[in-house]
């Protein structure tokens, strides 16, 4: 008897079912369509990443073979290819024909000086019925697909840090936390009107920061420092050099217990990470690469946290298209 291996990657045409403006910087888009009954993950979405294939304006979503989609996509004429971007499955809801994917897009071109990219521009202009491509886990095969980094094991004390691009992941994580979780959350968004209603357990101390005109990430690092009482190490917070320096990083910043973009072995990982106990602290830091790197310096460098207890993820880099 022969068995056919099931591809854990689902490649779908995703049609916009609903567009909802959550705040000046966030637009929530619900997607559905043929094949969505197979969409994973089955359990909590946490920080599950998916890939969106945004077609070039005026072109339809290219039909690609899921088994070799990337090579097929690259082989398309440049003007038909569009772009591929990584987003978070904020939620997967419903069953059968009604199953939908929820994605919260940051409209980074409409707020502040940054130029909008193709994905943010598409989201800003999206209408019901518009179509994009979606690469996502097949239901029941999410472990093989991967893409969930939040892995605190049994650690109850959490340090969660996010910028606006990581708010969707943070919100999904918050919904899945046990009621007795404690710790701190530091989240920086462009404006106070972007503070979203995220339900953290009562033991979590959440700090929402409105960036306004201040340099990106600076308030995040200062707040994190205060929360961890690192300002008592002898240097006052205001005496510190600016912690976030644009360009002061490797191109990619990504380190979890399973993988480090630096190529380093993360001491003890993944075995020790799997055994984090209730008395351990686990940190999850996601957002723009400069801020993530500054937080890494703070937590692992000054704070002395073991590397296998932290996940640092650069979701995007200023001045560079993804
Ligand atoms: C695992 C993962 C999950 C992610 N989840 C989400 C999510 O749920 N929602 C979401 O909105 N984003 C999310 N992102 C970030 C998103 O992929 C990037 O912001 C991406 O660059 C957007 O593509 P674009 O085509 O709009 O801009 P690009 O063409 O990639 O970039 C164009 C210009 O815009 C700048 N830029 C990109 N993003 C921003 C921003 N947010 N603010 C200011 N300038 C920016 C770039 O530096 C560049 O100069 C995620 C990224 C990763 C890796």
């Amino acid at each position: 008897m022969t068995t056919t291996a099931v591809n854990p990657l689902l490649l779908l045409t995703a049609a916009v079912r609903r567009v909802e403006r959550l705040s000046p910087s966030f637009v929530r888009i619900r997607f559905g369509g043929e094949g969505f009954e197979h969409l994973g993950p089955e359990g909590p979405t946490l920080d599950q990443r998916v890939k969106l294939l945004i077609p070039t304006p005026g072109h339809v979503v290219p039909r690609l073979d899921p088994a070799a989609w990337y090579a097929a996509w690259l082989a398309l004429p440049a003007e038909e290819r569009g772009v591929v971007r990584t987003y978070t499955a904020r939620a997967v809801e419903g069953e059968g024909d009604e199953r939908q994917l929820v994605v919260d897009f940051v409209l980074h071109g409409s707020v502040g000086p940054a130029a909008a990219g193709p994905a943010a521009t598409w989201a800003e202009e999206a209408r019901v019925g518009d179509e994009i491509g979606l690469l996502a886990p097949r239901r029941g095969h999410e472990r093989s697909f991967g893409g969930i980094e939040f892995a605190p094991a049994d650690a109850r004390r959490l340090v969660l840090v996010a910028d606006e691009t990581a708010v969707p992941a943070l919100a999904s994580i918050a919904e899945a936390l046990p009621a007795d979780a404690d710790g701190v959350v530091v989240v920086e968004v462009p404006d106070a009107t972007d503070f979203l209603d995220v339900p953290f357990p009562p033991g979590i101390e959440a700090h929402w920061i409105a960036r306004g005109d201040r340099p990106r990430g600076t308030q995040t690092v200062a707040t994190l420092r205060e929360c961890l009482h690192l300002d008592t190490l002898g240097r006052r917070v205001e005496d510190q050099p600016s912690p976030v320096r644009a360009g002061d990083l490797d191109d990619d910043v990504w380190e979890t217990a399973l993988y480090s973009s630096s190529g380093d072995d993360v001491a003890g990982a993944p075995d020790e990470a799997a055994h984090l106990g209730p008395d351990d602290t686990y940190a999850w830091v996601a957002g723009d690469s400069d801020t993530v790197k500054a937080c890494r310096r703070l937590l692992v460098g000054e704070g002395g946290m073991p590397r296998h207890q932290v996940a640092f993820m650069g979701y995007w880099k200023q001045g560079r298209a993804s």
Side-chain angles (χ1 to χ4, degrees):
M1 192 177 82
T2 56
T3 51
T4 313
V6 176
N7 188 347
L9 180 149
L10 207 55
L11 177 54
L12 299 172
T13 297
V16 175
R17 296 287 196 236
R18 188 169 168 208
V19 181
E20 188 185 350
R21 191 69 174 248
L22 300 181
S23 76
S25 298
F26 290 103
V27 65
R28 171 165 293 170
I29 302 188
R30 288 170 190 276
F31 297 94
E34 199 177 319
F36 267 63
E37 67 273 21
H38 302 299
L39 179 66
E42 198 114 63
T45 48
L46 302 173
D47 56 348
Q48 174 76 63
R49 61 179 175 268
V50 295
K51 297 233 179 259
L52 305 183
L53 207 166
I54 312 285
T56 310
H59 288 78
V60 295
V61 182
R63 309 283 151 167
L64 303 169
D65 172 5
W69 74 270
Y70 190 61
W73 179 74
L74 281 181
L76 291 171
E79 64 278 10
E80 289 175 26
R81 208 180 292 149
V83 298
V84 175
R85 296 288 185 261
T86 307
Y87 279 79
T88 302
R90 172 65 184 84
V92 174
E93 297 173 345
E95 294 296 333
D97 292 351
E98 301 299 315
R99 198 156 171 85
Q100 293 190 343
L101 168 72
V102 182
V103 179
D104 290 350
F105 292 81
V106 175
L107 302 178
H108 57 85
S110 61
V111 181
T121 303
W122 178 86
E124 183 146 34
E125 295 169 357
R127 300 283 176 272
V128 170
D130 289 353
E131 291 183 342
I132 61 172
L134 168 68
L135 295 120
R138 181 183 294 275
R139 203 170 183 177
H141 297 266
E142 33 280 305
R143 279 180 71 86
S144 321
F145 180 89
I148 289 182
E149 305 292 2
F150 181 75
D154 293 326
R156 284 283 174 274
R157 170 108 186 130
L158 301 170
V159 177
L160 309 176
V161 183
D163 78 353
E164 58 269 37
T165 63
V167 164
L170 178 69
S172 297
I173 287 170
E175 287 167 1
L177 290 178
D180 61 348
D182 71 46
V184 292
V185 167
V186 180
V187 51
E188 182 179 313
V189 291
D191 188 83
T193 51
D194 294 314
F195 292 176
L196 302 184
D197 190 15
V198 178
F200 294 107
I204 298 274
E205 183 188 308
H207 299 263
W208 284 84
I209 298 165
R211 180 177 311 119
D213 295 331
R214 289 173 293 192
R216 182 178 286 282
T218 307
Q219 293 305 304
T220 292
V221 177
T223 305
L224 185 59
R225 176 185 292 282
E226 282 172 22
C227 290
L228 302 175
H229 306 295
L230 290 176
D231 49 335
T232 59
L233 290 181
R235 288 166 298 177
R236 293 187 314 148
V237 175
E238 54 270 36
D239 293 339
Q240 300 297 311
S242 175
V244 183
R245 297 192 292 270
D248 171 26
L249 73 162
D250 311 326
D251 265 3
D252 298 305
V253 180
W254 200 280
E255 184 166 299
T256 66
L258 296 176
Y259 168 80
S260 172
S261 57
S262 67
D264 291 354
D265 277 338
V266 180
D271 285 354
E272 289 196 32
H275 294 115
L276 293 183
D279 296 332
D280 287 320
T281 299
Y282 173 79
W284 177 97
V285 181
D288 90 88
S289 294
D290 291 325
T291 305
V292 166
K293 194 164 182 190
C295 292
R296 176 165 66 178
R297 228 180 274 132
L298 196 64
L299 288 163
V300 175
E302 272 183 70
M305 268 189 86
R307 282 170 70 175
H308 68 269
Q309 288 180 220
V310 293
F312 298 110
M313 290 140 300
Y315 273 16
W316 64 282
K317 180 169 166 49
Q318 291 185 59
R320 192 184 76 180
S322 293

